[in-house]
């Protein structure tokens, strides 16, 4: 459901989405009314909140949906067997190295191979974990649905246009692919690159995509086997499927989606690493200097109030996950924009909250106005109690926008 609304002198596409059908609703939304210059104003069905906070929450939640293994968009090392994360691996014939991963028999005339390439969630003998992951970050896999990458391109552009960041662990190599820059197997999967160098260990393999024998590298690939005469052809074909021309439909779809919001050629203005930071933001890094310089102390508190000192100490002591949860609680996004707290607009503000529904303010919970980054903090008596209540709020209070 969507309508156009005018607010603060700007036109918005006001849309209602359901949390239970977030991915499908989101893809439809990105493929339809999200395209173009109008900003989005998202609210969730049966929730009262609307505006910047819920919209950023929607961007973040949809971004996370795109990283799930079930979308089959990404190469992933998160293939599990017996609750152990590992790769599909075959030792090298003639004395290669092994990473002690599970061995798999192949139809290779008795030869053993060094298939260290990360497998997809299509493999029937493995149970995929929930989210895709590789040590370099997310990189697309052959056979992924180009329509999903078109929608992802729109989402990324819309997030940039609306000064939001997405919690997607993109690899720098993904944006090198998008920019059409040269890639190597060493950059995508260093372990597999090493195994490809052992040409003798590849002899006897079928001409099929590593990890999925249903994808033939050439017509009749299941019946064609690697020999010392054609091993170079095999290596070039594998590279083409992993990071070469076979990914062109994915690259083009992402670019087409992004270009519905921004003009073509914007990629040329940034390096690949800069593009990743622009879209996915910086890792949450909260320092005492940042808090002192870029947090506004608002109604009820002074900069020397004990509760402010306790709050700053707690935030600095939080681990990375807790800091991300706090930032998401405040802004609706798990990451800060480029520049960190200094770039957050509006500036993070902290005000005193008096909860009249409880007799002891130590029993109250903090709350937030995400649209204005206005954090309302009860006057807790101890640092321990404050930390307990903040952790409760940022873990149990996520995922809904209600009026407070």
């Amino acid at each position: 459901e969507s309508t156009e609304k005018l607010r603060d002198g700007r036109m918005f596409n006001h849309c209602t989405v359901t949390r239970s059908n977030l991915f499908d609703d989101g893809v439809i939304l990105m493929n339809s009314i999200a395209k173009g210059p109008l900003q989005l104003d998202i609210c969730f069905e049966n929730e009262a909140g609307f505006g910047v906070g819920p919209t950023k929450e929607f961007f973040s939640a949809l971004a996370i949906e795109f990283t799930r293994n079930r979308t089959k968009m990404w190469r992933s090392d998160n293939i599990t067997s017996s609750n152990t994360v590992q790769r599909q691996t075959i030792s090298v014939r003639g004395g290669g190295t092994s990473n002690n991963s599970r061995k798999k028999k192949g139809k290779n005339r008795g030869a053993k191979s060094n298939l260290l390439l990360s497998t997809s969630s299509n493999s029937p003998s493995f149970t995929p974990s929930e989210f895709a992951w590789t040590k370099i970050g997310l990189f697309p896999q052959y056979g992924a649905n180009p329509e999903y990458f078109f929608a992802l391109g729109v989402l990324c552009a819309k997030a940039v246009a609306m000064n939001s960041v997405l919690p997607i662990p993109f690899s720098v190599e993904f944006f090198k692919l998008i920019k059409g820059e040269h890639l190597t197997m060493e950059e995508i999967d260093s372990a597999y690159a090493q195994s490809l160098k052992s040409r003798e260990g590849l002899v006897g393999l079928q001409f099929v995509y590593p990890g999925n024998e249903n994808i033939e590298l050439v017509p009749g690939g299941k019946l064609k086997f690697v020999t010392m005469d054609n091993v170079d052809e095999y290596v070039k074909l594998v590279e083409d499927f992993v990071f070469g021309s076979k990914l062109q439909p994915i690259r083009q779809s992402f670019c087409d989606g992004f270009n519905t919001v921004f003009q073509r050629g914007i990629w040329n203005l940034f390096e690949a690493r800069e593009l990743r930071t622009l879209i996915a933001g910086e890792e949450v890094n909260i320092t005492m200097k940042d808090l002192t310089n870029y947090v506004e102390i608002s109604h009820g508190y002074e900069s020397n109030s004990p509760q402010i000192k306790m709050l700053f100490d707690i935030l600095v002591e939080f681990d990375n996950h807790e800091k991300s949860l706090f930032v998401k609680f405040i802004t609706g996004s798990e990451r800060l924009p480029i520049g960190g707290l200094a770039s957050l607009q509006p500036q993070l503000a902290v005000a005193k909250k008096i909860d009249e529904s409880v007799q002891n303010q130590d029993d109250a919970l903090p709350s937030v106005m995400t649209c204005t980054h206005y954090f309302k903090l009860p006057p807790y008596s101890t640092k321990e109690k404050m930390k307990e209540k903040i952790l409760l709020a940022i873990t149990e209070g996520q995922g809904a926008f209600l009026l407070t």
Side-chain angles (χ1 to χ4, degrees):
E1 177 187 348
S2 71
T3 57
E4 290 188 357
K5 291 189 175 182
L6 184 67
R7 190 173 73 243
D8 298 329
R10 291 182 294 174
M11 186 67 73
F12 289 80
N13 269 323
H14 180 78
C15 311
T16 301
V17 297
T18 58
R19 290 187 184 274
S20 61
N21 199 41
L22 185 65
F23 183 71
D24 290 339
D25 282 359
V27 170
I28 292 172
L29 181 61
M30 293 301 119
N31 285 331
S32 54
I33 65 173
K35 297 182 291 186
L38 287 185
Q39 295 195 357
L40 295 179
D41 186 15
I42 302 294
C43 69
F44 292 95
E45 190 175 39
N46 299 321
E47 297 181 25
F50 65 92
V52 175
T55 301
K56 288 188 175 182
E57 160 70 10
F58 167 72
F59 285 163
S60 293
L62 180 57
I64 290 171
E65 291 298 309
F66 273 110
T67 69
R68 293 185 185 274
N69 270 321
R70 69 184 182 212
T71 66
K72 301 178 182 178
M73 295 172 65
W74 313 102
R75 297 179 62 252
S76 182
D77 291 341
N78 277 356
I79 307 299
T80 60
S81 178
S82 301
N83 299 319
T84 302
V85 176
Q86 51 193 330
R87 291 181 177 187
Q88 178 180 337
T89 305
I90 305 178
S91 59
V92 180
R93 188 180 67 172
T97 58
S98 172
N99 65 351
N100 297 321
S101 297
R102 174 176 177 170
K103 295 182 179 180
K104 181 181 177 181
K105 296 179 180 179
K107 299 177 182 179
N108 54 6
R109 297 182 180 176
K112 290 185 178 180
S113 161
N114 54 343
L115 289 184
L116 295 173
L117 181 65
S118 304
T119 59
S120 75
S121 58
N122 293 325
S123 178
S125 60
F126 291 82
T127 301
S129 64
E130 193 171 4
F131 299 100
W133 177 87
T134 71
K135 65 180 182 180
I136 67 167
L138 294 187
F139 189 84
Q141 67 172 347
Y142 173 77
N145 187 344
E147 292 183 5
Y148 287 171
F149 278 92
F150 179 90
L152 180 61
V154 178
L155 175 64
C156 289
K158 215 67 180 180
V160 171
M162 296 184 64
N163 194 33
S164 186
V165 291
L166 303 177
I168 299 182
F170 287 119
S171 64
V172 172
E173 288 71 21
F174 173 70
F175 290 104
K176 292 181 72 173
L177 174 73
I178 296 303
K179 286 172 60 66
E181 296 181 357
H182 177 71
L183 287 166
T184 66
M185 184 65 80
E186 187 73 32
E187 293 175 290
I188 307 303
D189 192 321
S190 58
Y192 190 58
Q194 285 297 115
S195 59
L196 285 178
K197 294 177 181 178
S198 177
R199 297 300 205 251
E200 296 83 359
L202 303 176
V203 172
L205 288 178
Q206 297 167 291
F207 270 66
V208 297
Y209 187 78
N212 191 338
E213 64 179 15
N214 293 319
I215 300 176
E216 296 180 319
L217 301 179
V218 294
K222 289 183 180 180
L223 301 178
K224 181 176 181 177
F225 296 86
V226 178
T227 67
M228 289 306 296
D229 292 329
N230 63 21
V231 65
D232 289 340
E233 176 192 2
Y234 172 81
V235 171
K236 289 179 180 178
L237 284 168
V238 169
E239 291 177 344
D240 198 37
F241 273 74
V242 172
F243 59 83
S245 66
K246 297 298 183 181
L247 297 188
Q248 179 61 23
I250 291 172
R251 174 185 177 273
Q252 190 62 53
S253 292
F254 182 88
C255 291
D256 288 345
F258 199 93
N259 291 335
T260 63
V261 180
F262 291 105
Q263 65 181 9
R264 295 182 182 276
I266 190 173
W267 306 114
N268 299 327
L269 301 177
F270 301 93
E271 299 292 333
R273 190 173 298 277
E274 293 173 331
L275 284 169
R276 183 178 69 170
T277 302
L278 179 68
I279 292 171
E282 296 181 337
E283 294 292 338
V284 175
N285 181 28
I286 299 177
T287 66
M288 185 62 70
K289 181 179 179 181
D290 291 334
L291 294 170
T292 302
N293 292 338
Y294 305 120
V295 174
E296 176 188 347
I297 310 303
S298 192
H299 304 292
Y301 287 128
E302 303 289 341
S303 59
N304 59 354
S305 297
Q307 285 80 12
I308 297 301
K309 182 181 186 306
M310 289 190 292
L311 173 65
F312 286 3
D313 286 344
I314 290 169
L315 294 179
V316 171
E317 293 166 5
F318 271 169
D319 62 30
N320 289 338
H321 178 62
E322 291 167 337
K323 288 177 180 176
S324 294
L325 287 176
F326 179 78
V327 169
K328 184 179 181 181
F329 184 73
I330 297 295
T331 69
S333 173
E334 291 183 358
R335 293 192 175 194
L336 291 168
I338 299 173
L341 279 178
S343 300
L344 192 62
Q345 294 295 329
Q347 191 176 42
L348 172 60
V350 181
K352 181 182 288 187
K353 173 183 178 179
I354 301 298
D355 190 342
E356 297 181 353
S357 68
V358 297
Q359 292 184 342
N360 187 341
Q361 293 304 302
D362 278 350
D363 296 327
L365 285 172
S367 59
V368 66
M369 297 172 63
T370 55
C371 295
T372 56
H373 307 149
Y374 196 73
F375 183 54
K376 294 179 281 187
L377 181 70
Y380 297 110
S381 60
T382 66
K383 178 180 174 181
E384 292 71 26
K385 179 59 67 174
M386 180 182 290
K387 182 176 182 179
E388 173 192 337
K389 294 299 184 181
I390 291 177
L391 284 173
L392 179 61
I394 65 178
T395 54
E396 301 298 329
Q398 302 276 11
F401 287 88
L402 307 172
L403 297 179
T404 62

